[in-house]
Every structure is written in structure tokens, then in C-alpha cells.
Amino acid sequence: MSENVVNLHKHTAPAAADAPVITLTVVPDPAPAKPVPVWVRSGRAVKRAVTDERTTTTARAVARHSLYVWGGGRIVARRTWDGRTGARYERFLRAAEAAGNMELAGEWEERLQHFREARHRRRMDLLTSPIDVAKSIGVGAGVSVGVLVALGVVMAINNHDVTDVITPLTATIEFIGLLIRIVQVVWPYAMVLGPLFALLGMWAVGSKQQAAPQWALPANVRNGEGEPITPSIVVKALRDLGVPALRNAIKEMGDAGASMLGPIRIAGCGVEVDVTLPSGVATNEVQSKRRKLAENLTRHEHEVFITIPQAARTVRLWVADSGALDEPIGPSPLVTDETMTADYAKGKAPWGQDLRGDAAALSLYQRHLLITGLSNQGKTVALRSLALWLALDKSVQFLIGDLKGVGDWKMFMGLASTLIQGPTDEHVIQVTEMVEGAVDEMNRRLMAPPGTQFPPLIVLVDEAQVAFMCPAKDDEKRPYGGSKANSRYFMAVRKIHNQGRVVNVLMWQGTQDPTNENLPKLVREGAHTRASLALGTESQARMALGDKAVDGGAAPNLLRPGLDRGTLVVASDGIAMPAGQASITVRTHYVDDDGAVAITDRAKALRDGVTTLTVIERGEERDALADIAAAVGESPRPLTTDVLKRLAMLDEDAYGGWTNGDLKRVLEAAGVESYKSHGRMVIRREDVLHALANRDDEGSASAS
């Protein structure tokens, strides 16, 4: 039988043997809850009321408008004091002295002296003014009474009534009494309304100047959202920068610290101002505190740029409108203007906009180019934009190596003479031979008569760091990568950097995340135009742009990866920039793949047709040692110069560019040494034949 539990009463009824057992239990009433004290409930209510958003907003508004009156009164009092005393002149005098401008300080001292002399004259005039006023009143009253009596006489004669003689005097006295009664009526109200209007005026001044503590201001003002850049804001930002000499100099200047500032000019999506630093403050002290300065100006770090203009002891601040740099710029003219053409010698490529909103155009004439940056920051698009513009000049030829190999340059098929795409060692070998072919073309052009004009040849390698880091070696154990004297890619680039410009053979490279290993010093310094996207460190920025540009304010390491994609810091004499600056920041136009295809189609239409090689054709492999033995002939000790001539006659393509170093390298690899005889270098025929026989014997033994 199951047991049922019923909560009814305290006693339990008796049950039969076979009857179900019912257990009755008593559940006591729950104890009543203790009442909450009144003071606790009141405290909670007060806390909710005090912390309520509406309450805090209302309290802040009341405090703000009350403090506007106090702050406005201080401003009015200060202005009144400045107008009545020489305090303003003294502040400007101290400011000029702090800035080290003694000539300007002398001018302000002279103005202060003139002001004091004029004030002294006014005070001396006050000593005699009561007598002069009394005389003026007496004379004026007498004349007035005479005029009124004369007018009364005329009226009496006209009206034939002698009482009219005093009528004008009576009317004047009654008018004066009326004025007194009006004043008596208005005066009590004026005593009440006058102070109210004065308070209203002080409130208006304080409201306009935001003369209240930060905690009392509206939320948008406290956060600095959209806050305009004014001289007082710039001076306060500089004062709070943490440079003791600058802070002390500004304190001595008082409110006239704005005398350090030039005019604040609208410059694109921001403003620009030149700041002449006081004596004892170096420009790099301000440059090194860019983040703090930006925060003092209620901006993000990337929205403030500090450069060094031509004037001594001056920094140029460019401050963006809040959030303006996050807005994209317009499309490239290459896309919007289908009639655009290029001129390699005289034109400039439309690359983007500078921070002032002006068009940024780059001259490519006889300038080697290097663009670097972190991965996925827009390097290829920026480099490709320049190539797309130059492709619209039909005289330009391209050799392109894309060591990324994902199709970023595929639209140049049928436009470039060579297009190699891929990231493997074999592709690096192909690109290296392409660059070496450009070196041969450069040498051929250098042999031409002076004054010969050659079409531009652009040798473009994207992701060039892959080539520098390639471990592959050729048959003669020369590495394709690296930066040694026998590194093939490195040496080919160096040769073009050294002599290619004068015959219009130019080297363009795009690299990623630069280091001394993947971007050797001699290569990066050989570029005339150096541009950098976002980088990780200042040391990388110096690699990319050079010490001069970074010391002058260039800071690609402060660009925001991902957010500032496509923004470049450029150091080049091929782009217009303010006098004295070593670099300029450019926001490049984005040209997508479809736009690039459309542009290259227009470029192809300008040409008769270009056959693009995708693989470098290698000539017949020659046996250098056997050819040397043939060139030696029957001479027991031929001169090395004669051997070189005979080799060139044997195969101009293979040996036409050989030097004594090339010959020595092959002979030493075979164990043959050249030596001097009568002051001239010779080799022994017997040594060459012996080395050739030993090599053949070793080859036969290894084959068996």
C-alpha cells in the first residue's frame, strides 16, 4: 500500500489493519518577515534618485549654466583690466622675449611706453577737468537762458502778450521735471533689471567660451567630438605636453602663448598651423610626443602629423577633422577619364591625395622606385597604379616578375614583354635571368653614341623579398638570393641602380616587411623614390625611407595596419611637397582588378601588339672549361686578354661580356691558376688540358 501524506491537523486518526495509512502533519505558518527600517528605504530611494541619469543631467546643466556666469564674469573682468592697463602689452612683450625675438619684443616695449604716456596725459587732464566742466556749464547755461528769453520776447511780440516772455523757460523747466519723474518711476525697475542684464551678458560670454569645468560640459564637448582647433586649444596642448622648458615659457607668456602660432589654415580634411618653439625647446622633443599631443588636441594619434618645415625652430602640425581620415577618397582619374594618356618624360602619375586634399601626382622620369610595407596593406595596388598610368605611354616597355603569383599582374599579359608569375625558386631563377637580361640591354644602350634616345624599360619585381631570400644556386655555385658580391639577383639590381637611369632602364621593386636580410641596404638606398605603407617599428621606417625622412617627421610605423590601407609615406623629389619637408603622406586611389583590366585594354589599343614571354628562354648550355681549352689553342702560355677575345669570337652571347674575373672564377673552380709573366696575366695550356682530362675521367668513373 502506498503512503499518502496530507498536511491537515496536528493529530493522526486511527486506521484499520488493511486500511491505507494517512499521515497528518502540521505545517506551521511561516514567520513574518522583519520590516525594513524606514531609514534604509529612504536611503535607497535617495541613491536611486541621485544616480538617475535624468537627475545627473539636470544637476550638470544647472551647474554648467551657473558656472558660465562666473566664468564669463572673469573673462569680462580680464578684458576690462587689459583695456585699462598695460597688461596686454606686457604679456606680448614676455612672449616675444621667451621666443627669443628681441626685435618684436622691442616693438611691444615701445607700444607699452606710448600707452603709458597717453594714460598719463589723460590722468593729468582730469585734474583741470572740473574747472573746465564748470566753465562750460556756466557758459552753456547762460547762452541757453539767453536764447530762451530771446525766443520768449519774439513770442510775446507776436502774440501781444508780455507773459509769453517766460513761456520757453517754463516749458524747459517742466520738461526737466518730467524727465525726473520718469527716472523716479524707472529707477526701481532698473535697479532690478540692470544686474539681471549684466548677469545675462556674462552668461553669454561664458557660454560662448565654454567657461566651465569639463565635468559640467555637455557630453559631446567633454569627449571633444568635432571640437574645432583654436589657438587656445593648441597652446594648452603644447603646454601640457610634458616638456618643462616649453611649459615654463608658455607660463611666462600668459594667454599670449598664441603668439607662437602662425595662422591656422584649412588644409584638406583638417587644419595646419606652424608653431615657432621658444628658445631652449628642440623640435624633436615635440615630435617624440605625438601621441600625447594628439590626445591633448582631442584627436587620435593617426589624426595628427608633425613635420619640420624650412623655418628654424618650427614644427608644422596638421590636425585632421575627427574621423575624416576614415572616409575613403574618390576614384582614380585613370578609371573615370577614359581619354587620359601618359607622358613618361613630362607627365606625372595621378596617385592619390595628400592630407590637405590636393592631388598627389608622382613623376616617374628616370627614377628607380621602391615600395614597402606590411602584408595586405595595398602595396601591390599602389605599385600597379603607377604601372597602369605609365602603360598609357605607348613607348614604355615592361619586364614584370610577380613573385606572389596570384594573378595581380595578369592584365599585363599582351602588354609586358615578359611576365613571370609564381613564388617558387624556379620563378626566382626566371626573374633573376629577366633582370640580368635587362642589364645586358642597359650595357648595349650604354655603348650607343652619346645623345641616343632610348624607350623607357621598366623592370618591375613585386614581392622582391622572395628573390633576396631564395637559397637556390646555379651550376657554378653562385646564389640567386642574398646580398653578397656573387649573388645574382642582388648584383643585377645594383648594376641597374648604378647606370640604368641614364639610358631609361629603371628598377621598380615592391617588398614586404623589410629587414636587412630581405632588403639589403645598398638596394633600398639605390631607389630615387621610396614609399612605405604601414610598418611595425621605427627601425623599419628608417630602412624604408631613410634617416632624413624619419628625422623630418615621416612615421609609417604609426600608420594603423588594416585601417590605413593604401596610405603611403613618400620620400621623393618627384612629388610636390611643402618647402623644407623630407616626406609627404599620400592616400592612394584604389584601382580594382576590373578597373585595371579596362586601363590595360586601352593601353594595348595604343600598341600594335606585344608578345609576352612567360618563361625566359635559355641558350645552349656551353662547357666553359672546354671552350677555354679551345681558345688556348696551341699557345703554351697565352695571355688572359687573348683568351677572352677568342672566347668572344667563339660565342658572343655566352662570352661577350666576360671579364678577367669571370675567366679566373671558372679556372679556379677547375683547379687552374693564372699567374703573371713579365707583368701580364697568363695561363698555362698544360694546366687547362690537365684539368679538363681529370674532369672527364671523374665523369666517366662516376658514370660507371
Side-chain angles (χ1 to χ4, degrees), residues 161-335:
D161 187 358
V162 69
T163 59
D164 286 343
V165 173
I166 62 172
T167 298
L169 286 173
T170 304
T172 302
I173 293 172
E174 291 177 352
F175 177 72
I176 293 173
L178 176 62
L179 292 178
I180 293 173
R181 286 192 295 275
I182 292 174
V183 171
Q184 289 174 342
V185 173
V186 173
W187 184 255
Y189 300 99
M191 292 297 293
V192 175
L193 295 177
L196 291 179
F197 282 119
L199 291 175
L200 181 61
M202 290 188 293
W203 175 88
V205 173
S207 175
K208 185 176 181 180
Q209 298 293 329
Q210 298 290 334
Q214 284 291 317
W215 59 265
L217 295 176
N220 62 328
V221 178
R222 292 198 311 273
N223 296 335
E225 186 68 27
E227 185 177 7
I229 299 300
T230 62
S232 61
I233 289 177
V234 176
V235 171
K236 290 178 182 177
L238 293 170
R239 182 195 64 194
D240 300 336
L241 203 54
V243 180
L246 181 59
R247 181 181 62 250
N248 295 335
I250 293 176
K251 284 183 178 179
E252 292 179 2
M253 298 177 194
D255 288 345
S259 61
M260 298 188 303
L261 310 183
I264 296 180
R265 304 175 295 272
I266 295 177
C269 57
V271 295
E272 184 178 74
V273 59
D274 287 351
V275 181
T276 302
L277 300 176
S279 179
V281 181
T283 54
N284 63 341
E285 292 183 88
V286 177
Q287 277 186 300
S288 63
K289 295 183 177 292
R290 173 179 169 180
R291 173 175 292 181
K292 190 169 186 178
L293 178 61
E295 293 172 351
N296 290 348
L297 293 169
T298 63
R299 295 294 191 273
H300 296 291
E301 184 178 12
H302 71 276
E303 294 176 328
V304 174
F305 289 82
I306 306 173
T307 54
I308 309 299
Q310 200 168 10
R313 212 173 66 231
T314 302
V315 293
R316 177 168 294 159
L317 307 181
W318 185 87
V319 185
D321 298 335
S322 185
L325 293 182
D326 296 328
E327 299 294 330
I329 64 174
S332 171
L334 290 170
V335 177

Side-chain angles (χ1 to χ4, degrees), residues 369-436:
L369 175 67
L370 172 65
I371 299 180
T372 187
L374 298 178
S375 176
N376 196 30
Q377 298 304 309
K379 167 180 54 63
T380 296
V381 172
L383 183 60
R384 190 176 67 182
S385 295
L386 298 177
L388 288 171
W389 176 79
L390 200 54
L392 296 176
D393 183 340
K394 63 180 182 181
S395 67
V396 178
Q397 303 170 5
F398 291 96
L399 303 176
I400 298 176
D402 175 16
L403 293 177
K404 184 189 296 182
V406 295
D408 290 333
W409 297 88
K410 62 184 178 181
M411 66 286 300
F412 278 81
M413 183 69 69
L415 188 61
S417 301
T418 301
L419 177 59
I420 299 170
Q421 302 179 88
T424 66
D425 289 350
E426 180 59 29
H427 291 104
V428 171
I429 294 172
Q430 293 283 323
V431 168
T432 301
E433 292 176 350
M434 177 191 77
V435 178
E436 290 175 339

Side-chain angles (χ1 to χ4, degrees), residues 45 52 61 69 297 326 334 344 367 434 445 507 511 532 588 620 629 635 652 659:
D52 184 72
V69 177
L297 293 169
D326 296 328
L334 290 170
Y344 161 75
R367 290 179 175 87
M434 177 191 77
R445 294 183 178 189
M507 192 74 210
T511 67
S532 175
T588 59
E620 179 185 355
S635 302
E652 177 67 26
T659 63

Side-chain angles (χ1 to χ4, degrees), residues 28-87:
D29 295 334
K34 294 182 179 180
V36 179
V38 176
W39 65 270
V40 174
R41 294 199 300 269
S42 301
R44 291 173 180 173
V46 170
K47 181 179 179 181
R48 284 195 298 269
V50 170
T51 58
D52 184 72
E53 183 178 356
R54 290 173 296 181
T55 303
T56 56
T57 302
T58 302
R60 187 180 291 117
V62 172
R64 177 170 66 252
H65 291 288
S66 300
L67 292 169
Y68 279 165
V69 177
W70 170 256
R74 292 181 58 192
I75 294 172
V76 171
R78 184 62 176 269
R79 291 175 179 174
T80 304
W81 177 259
D82 286 347
R84 301 293 297 175
T85 67

Side-chain angles (χ1 to χ4, degrees), residues 498-545:
N498 290 338
Q499 295 180 299
R501 183 185 66 83
V502 295
V503 289
N504 288 331
V505 177
L506 303 178
M507 192 74 210
W508 290 11
Q509 294 183 98
T511 67
Q512 187 182 117
D513 199 11
T515 64
N516 285 322
E517 288 72 27
N518 65 25
L519 186 59
K521 185 174 186 290
L522 292 177
V523 170
R524 60 182 185 251
E525 291 186 352
H528 303 98
T529 296
R530 299 165 72 173
S532 175
L533 296 116
L535 288 173
T537 64
E538 181 180 325
S539 62
Q540 287 185 316
R542 293 184 181 276
M543 291 181 192
L545 300 176

